[in-house]
Structures are given as C-alpha cells and as structure tokens.
Amino acid sequence: MRFIETWTPATLIATRDLTSSIREFLIRPEIFDGAAYPVGSHIDVAVTVGGRPETRSYSLIGEGDRAGYRIAVRRAEDSRGGSRYMWSLAPGARLTITLPTSLLPIDWSRRHYCLIAGGIGITPLIGAAQALDRRKAEFTLHYAMRSREDAVYLDVLATLLNERLVVHAGNEGRRLDFDTLFASLPPDAMTLFCGPMRMLDAARRAWTSAGRALPDLRYETFGSSGLLPTEDFRVRLADRGIEIEIPRDRSMLDALNAAGYEVISDCRRGECGVCAVDLVHIDGEVDHRDVFFSENQKRANEKICACVSRARGTITVDMLHRPDAV
C-alpha cells in the first residue's frame, strides 16, 4: 500500500472563525518539533459521525507553524458529518491525527508556475505560494470564489503576492476563464490546482484542449465534492442478491465493510483506484467523485470508487470480478 498512516495523539489548541462558515483549527500533536512539512501536506483526523469512528483529511496551511498544525474546515450541511463534528470541538479537546503527508508533488526545476484555487481549495496552495515566493520563482495565484466575503486568507496572500494574486469573484463578474488562462502560460508551465470537482473537470478539459501534457496539471480535490447532492442510496450485490443502504453520512466503502463485505482500499481519497468495484446495473444515477478514472471511463459507468463516489437510486455491483483493480 502506498498510503501509510502514522497516528499520534494531539490537542486542539485554539480555533477562530475566518468566515461565517469556515473555521480555523490549531492542532498540536504530543510530540512536535515545529519542523516544516512538504508543500501540499494534509493530515487525517479521527472523527465521530453518528456514533461511528471515521476519518477526514484536511490540508495544512502554510509551509509550517511552530505553534502546531493549522487547518481550515468549511461547515457544510450537505456533507457526511465530518465538518459538523469538527465544529463541535472546543479548545482543549483531545484528538488523534496522522503525521503530515503530501500528495501534491512539485517539480521545482520549472521556471513558471500557475496556482489555481477554488473556495476552500486555497488552503494547500498557501504553502505552495510561500515556497515559490521564497525560491523567487515566476508564478501567479488565481483565487476563485463566489464573493470576497467567502474568501479566506486574502489579506495574507495580498501582502505576500501583490499583483501575482488574481482574484476571481463571481459576484463581481470576474469568473475564471481556463481557456484564456492556459493559452497565456509559457510552454513549460506547471499548474497546481485545488477546488471542487466541477471546477477540476473544467480545468482538465481546458488543459488538454490547449495541447498541454496532463501530468503538468497537478491537483487535489475535495473528497466530498460531487455533481449530485449527498443523499442515501442503495447498493445491490449481484453475486449475493443482497441490498445495503448507504446513508448520506457514510461512504459506500465503510458501509460495505461494516456489513461484512470487504472491499480493499488504500488512499480513501478517490486517487488510487484500489477500491474500484464493477458496476453491473444502474437504476438511477452515479456520481463519480474520484480523480482516478478519466472522463471517458466515468461516462462508461463500468466501475465506481467506493471510497468517495456515490449514487442516486440503486446501483448493482459485482465485488468478485475485478481483474483491473490497481
């Protein structure tokens, strides 16, 4: 397995509200040396949802902080419950977290970089901007949001970046045009992206349409972001004739495993494809929330990543025949 987790006890030191729906958390593990962590790092946090233990991933803010690990959590009512749990915590709460891990590698040999953030997706890119600024690299950060009132860390970024920060506020009519942006980039530019799934899909289409190599577009997404509302759905096991209810606050992977039908997994972020199972029949609609399958593969609806993807209605899966599993 590629994603090895090392868990450690920690304490919630402080919180502060950045907006009415986004709260910053300062978390300090018991053993902490204040060392910087790789750009794009995240930690997993053990949470309790509906009385069940689960985990959630949150990006770390900045290159490092001697006070502890800082994360920002957007409270989303249309979610699986992790944000509600985090918002219920008060300073002094005991937590269990993983050590920082980065899944957003940067090729530091490039001369030009483009950073793109959508909403709360700004969090992993703050450290990237700081690192690129320190290295005196040529880059621009494009920050898209509904309105400036919804944005976080704008003051920090404006002070650091000046004209290298481009704000795309929807209510100001300044929407981000990927085609125009990518056409303006030098040929060797690398782009780092973090944002919701719809935005990533648009960025990938524009990137490939511009004739650019897909590996030069590095990205992270929100594990809970999708094209359909998060709601209950049903999974029918083709080889057993059994149906299992998947609650809105639980992943298909966790529900199947809890019912005794083991699905192997690794990243639990929709990135590795290990948990993909075969789709046999769809009575409804599938919401592919992974970044492992291509757009063509998602349209084919032959497999589904059980860790993040969801559905509306009932889907039938075959968990025994998976010759292409990674």
Side-chain angles (χ1 to χ4, degrees):
M1 296 253 175
R2 295 177 297 163
F3 299 85
I4 300 175
E5 299 172 336
T6 301
W7 292 87
T8 184
T11 301
L12 176 59
I13 302 299
T15 66
R16 68 178 178 121
D17 288 346
L18 304 177
T19 70
S20 60
S21 61
I22 300 177
R23 179 171 294 175
E24 182 186 87
F25 296 76
L26 176 61
I27 301 170
R28 187 181 180 94
E30 282 191 356
I31 301 176
F32 182 67
D33 58 8
Y37 34 76
V39 169
S41 289
H42 71 274
I43 58 171
D44 288 348
V45 180
V47 303
T48 302
V49 178
R52 301 183 302 267
E54 297 192 15
T55 63
R56 295 292 186 271
S57 296
Y58 299 105
S59 297
L60 296 178
I61 298 164
E63 288 190 277
D65 192 325
R66 292 191 176 279
Y69 300 145
R70 291 186 189 273
I71 62 174
V73 180
R74 180 175 66 88
R75 176 158 184 156
E77 297 306 322
D78 183 22
S79 74
R80 292 187 289 121
S83 64
R84 292 193 296 273
Y85 174 82
M86 292 298 297
W87 273 58
S88 73
L89 301 175
R94 298 291 292 164
L95 296 168
T96 304
I97 66 173
T98 61
L99 298 180
T101 302
S102 177
L103 301 176
L104 192 67
I106 299 179
D107 180 355
W108 297 109
S109 67
R110 303 296 179 94
R111 293 182 57 192
H112 305 278
Y113 301 85
C114 176
L115 311 183
I116 303 174
I120 194 66
I122 191 63
T123 51
L125 297 185
I126 294 173
Q130 292 171 338
L132 290 169
D133 177 72
R134 180 167 43 79
R135 292 169 180 262
K136 303 189 183 305
E138 294 185 21
F139 73 99
T140 304
L141 170 58
H142 293 264
Y143 188 1
M145 74 287 292
R146 291 189 180 90
S147 69
R148 291 176 187 265
E149 290 71 28
D150 296 324
V152 293
Y153 304 111
L154 261 183
D155 53 344
V156 173
L157 292 167
T159 300
L160 175 70
L161 303 181
N162 297 310
E163 70 280 356
R164 292 174 297 176
L165 172 65
V166 182
V167 176
H168 301 268
N171 68 338
E172 298 174 6
R174 294 177 56 90
R175 296 189 179 276
L176 181 54
D177 183 336
F178 287 119
D179 291 323
T180 301
L181 172 59
F182 295 157
S184 70
L185 297 179
D188 69 333
M190 168 172 282
T191 290
L192 305 179
F193 171 95
C194 186
M197 188 64 70
R198 288 181 186 271
M199 191 175 175
L200 172 60
D201 288 343
R204 287 199 293 192
R205 286 194 297 268
W207 188 261
T208 54
S209 295
R212 295 180 177 273
L214 199 52
D216 287 344
L217 175 64
R218 309 286 174 86
Y219 49 81
E220 281 194 343
T221 61
F222 313 147
S224 61
S225 63
L227 303 180
L228 299 176
T230 300
E231 59 185 37
D232 298 354
F233 67 100
R234 299 187 68 81
V235 173
R236 182 180 295 118
L237 306 184
D239 55 319
R240 296 178 175 88
I242 294 172
E243 283 193 6
I244 297 174
E245 182 83 14
I246 313 298
R248 67 180 303 276
D249 62 353
R250 202 167 201 192
S251 70
M252 176 178 163
L253 174 68
D254 287 340
L256 289 173
N257 284 343
Y261 304 103
E262 184 177 1
V263 180
I264 61 172
S265 63
D266 195 353
C267 74
R268 290 178 170 260
R269 294 163 58 92
E271 296 171 352
C272 69
V274 169
C275 67
V277 296
D278 289 334
L279 279 167
V280 177
H281 181 73
I282 301 169
D283 184 11
E285 191 174 359
V286 175
D287 188 9
H288 293 284
R289 301 184 176 190
D290 66 278
V291 294
F292 176 76
F293 291 122
S294 68
E295 289 190 54
N296 288 338
Q297 288 172 314
K298 291 178 180 180
R299 282 194 293 268
N301 275 334
E302 294 178 349
K303 291 180 180 291
I304 182 173
C305 282
C307 65
V308 294
S309 295
R310 303 188 66 82
R312 173 184 287 163
T314 300
I315 60 174
T316 303
V317 301
D318 183 351
M319 296 169 54
L320 297 181
H321 178 62
R322 293 192 291 148
D324 298 327
V326 175

